[in-house]
Amino acid sequence: MDALFPTYSRWDLTIESAEGAIVVDNKGKKYLDFVTGIAVCNLGHRHPAVIDAVEDQLKKYWHVSNLFKSDIQQEVAKKLVANSELDAVFFCNSGAEANEAALKLARKYTQKSKVITFHQSFHGRTFGTMAATGQDKIHSGFGPLLQEFVYLPYNDCEALEEAMDDSVAAVMVEVVQGEGGVVPGTEKFLTKIEELCKKHESLFIIDEVQTGIGRTGKAFAHQHFNLSPDIITLAKALGSGLPVGAMLGKEKLKEAFGPGSHGSTFGGNPISLAAANETISIIFQDTFLEEVEKKGAYLKAELINALADQDFVTEVRGSGLMLGIACKAEVAENITKLRENGLLVLQAGPNVIRLLPPLTVTYEEIDEAVKLIKDSLVAEYIV
């Protein structure tokens, strides 16, 4: 009898070991991993420098609570703010928790309640972040949601202008919608959000949970557009697989998050932050990020070329090493076929194949993945 709640549609696959971009199942079969824990293992599996950092911390202490000052929290926080336009960090355990903190802070600081988010967004599954998520399937069955969330069409400046007024506490947005189909925001749309937030004294919140920590070729995806958000949220890749999230905010927001206003027992855990410290030290190097942009451009170009004659495919889109192959029909069977052929990929909505390789992926591994995608799709859908 299965002792777990059936909250996940699990693949019939059990991973036994992993290293770099390769995972091995319990039957000895190897797979090229373009899932990476859903944009978590940006340095690949078991990066040796992260292992060393975690082992060093394990030998010191594991947990003492946030009643104590923490040098590792200060060190990681300083690196995050030094690479952003923001000034203060709150550590937690996940992206949903980071977004919960952002929503609480926005309401407390502005003393307003209305929050604008967007159709097909995804911000988490807690009660607050579920309400922030603009997808009916996430809401279904849970009764009345947290009030005063307004959902607008993504990339629609006109709808945004009509909805914005002085009652809005915040606008929360993803620079690239991940779960919603790997849909990039336009520069016009994103800059319009910032402009209207300033006009109406609303906070501009960017959910960087999936796009942050180098995924798009910048430390944070909003940096492609020179945006200046009031808050950004992080998790996933921050700890290279160890659970850690963070909310970053501007200096002015500190006054609203004083002692007792928010907290987390395990937030800022030293083991997770040892991993985070090493992870961002590697990824936030200019040469590393430039290489991510090059690899992302290469993967996208190779996919477009390989799938040019494939009628089933409508578009290859995304940013950096966060790409989606949009198709004319549902792709679940294709993803199963790719898995059988040795490539792990994800869905992003019913019709999009999502690719999230490690940022350390080699060009040879990219070529192998493109060939597997081309062969699998053509074999299944050639006319």
Side-chain angles (χ1 to χ4, degrees):
M1 182 179 69
D2 195 330
L4 297 170
F5 273 106
T7 49
Y8 305 102
S9 297
R10 297 182 191 270
W11 298 340
D12 186 18
L13 177 60
T14 301
I15 301 302
E16 188 74 19
S17 63
E19 187 166 1
I22 304 298
V23 299
V24 183
D25 70 15
N26 58 353
K27 299 176 183 177
K29 182 176 178 178
K30 293 183 179 180
Y31 302 82
L32 185 56
D33 186 6
F34 273 40
V35 173
T36 55
I38 313 182
V40 167
C41 302
N42 281 12
L43 290 175
H45 295 280
R46 299 179 60 249
H47 191 284
V50 178
I51 292 174
D52 288 345
V54 170
E55 287 181 344
D56 286 346
Q57 184 59 47
L58 280 168
K59 294 171 185 175
K60 296 176 183 177
Y61 67 95
W62 299 2
H63 177 79
V64 294
S65 105
N66 285 308
L67 293 172
F68 297 85
K69 291 183 178 181
S70 170
D71 290 341
I72 189 71
Q73 287 188 11
Q74 288 289 343
E75 187 173 354
V76 177
K78 286 176 180 177
K79 286 181 181 179
L80 289 171
V81 300
N83 286 276
S84 71
E85 297 285 323
L86 301 151
D87 305 296
V89 180
F90 171 81
F91 287 114
C92 52
N93 305 288
S94 69
E97 286 185 35
N99 285 334
E100 282 281 353
L103 293 168
K104 284 181 67 175
L105 178 55
R107 285 189 167 195
K108 193 164 189 290
Y109 177 79
T110 64
Q111 292 295 294
K112 298 186 283 188
S113 300
K114 186 185 296 183
V115 176
I116 290 175
T117 64
F118 298 93
H119 296 310
Q120 297 308 119
S121 60
F122 184 83
H123 300 293
R125 295 179 184 274
T126 60
F127 234 83
T129 59
M130 176 176 68
T133 294
Q135 298 189 49
D136 288 341
K137 68 179 183 180
I138 304 298
H139 303 162
S140 180
F142 294 102
L145 300 176
L146 187 65
Q147 296 301 298
E148 296 201 68
F149 283 91
V150 176
Y151 313 115
L152 301 179
Y154 191 67
N155 278 332
D156 189 329
C157 293
E158 184 176 337
L160 180 66
E161 287 194 274
E162 290 178 2
M164 281 294 291
D165 58 34
D166 291 345
S167 69
V168 174
V171 178
M172 176 180 274
V173 68
E174 299 157 277
V175 176
V176 182
Q177 287 192 327
E179 303 294 325
V182 194
V183 182
T186 65
E187 183 170 10
K188 179 181 178 182
F189 173 65
L190 295 167
T191 54
K192 177 60 71 172
I193 296 174
E194 183 173 343
E195 172 193 323
L196 291 171
C197 282
K198 288 178 179 177
K199 177 180 177 181
H200 294 286
E201 297 185 328
S202 308
L203 295 188
F204 182 19
I205 303 172
I206 297 183
D207 180 338
E208 291 263 15
V209 169
Q210 191 163 150
T211 54
I213 319 298
R215 174 55 56 181
T216 67
K218 298 286 187 185
F220 310 110
H222 70 269
Q223 293 171 336
H224 290 285
F225 305 104
N226 295 313
L227 300 170
S228 183
D230 297 292
I231 296 172
I232 68 171
T233 55
L234 304 172
K236 288 193 179 289
L238 181 56
S240 283
L242 274 72
V244 58
M247 179 195 69
L248 282 62
K250 289 187 173 176
E251 180 72 24
K252 66 182 181 181
L253 303 177
K254 282 185 176 181
E255 65 185 56
F257 249 28
S261 58
H262 197 50
S264 170
T265 295
F266 295 109
N269 173 271
I271 306 300
S272 293
L273 285 191
N277 196 24
E278 192 63 37
T279 298
I280 61 178
S281 293
I282 296 168
I283 291 177
F284 285 179
Q285 296 178 51
D286 290 342
T287 52
F288 186 98
L289 292 169
E290 288 165 7
E291 188 64 16
V292 173
E293 286 203 88
K294 289 177 184 177
K295 288 175 182 176
Y298 179 79
L299 174 56
K300 188 174 185 179
E302 290 297 300
L303 285 168
I304 290 171
N305 181 60
L307 302 174
D309 297 327
Q310 179 57 266
D311 185 59
F312 180 61
V313 174
T314 61
E315 183 183 11
V316 178
R317 63 188 181 223
S319 180
L321 287 170
M322 180 179 179
L323 296 178
I325 303 170
C327 301
K328 291 182 178 178
E330 294 189 5
V331 296
E333 291 183 11
N334 300 92
I335 288 171
T336 300
K337 180 82 171 180
L338 284 165
R339 188 162 65 248
E340 291 171 352
N341 291 342
L343 178 65
L344 304 180
V345 296
L346 292 166
Q347 282 184 244
N351 296 0
V352 179
I353 299 170
R354 182 172 26 159
L355 308 179
L356 297 166
L359 308 186
T360 52
V361 67
T362 66
Y363 286 95
E364 291 78 14
E365 288 166 339
I366 290 173
D367 290 342
E368 181 183 351
V370 171
K371 184 178 186 305
L372 286 168
I373 291 168
K374 179 180 180 180
D375 291 348
S376 296
L377 291 184
V378 168
E380 195 74 18
Y381 289 96
I382 192 166
V383 177

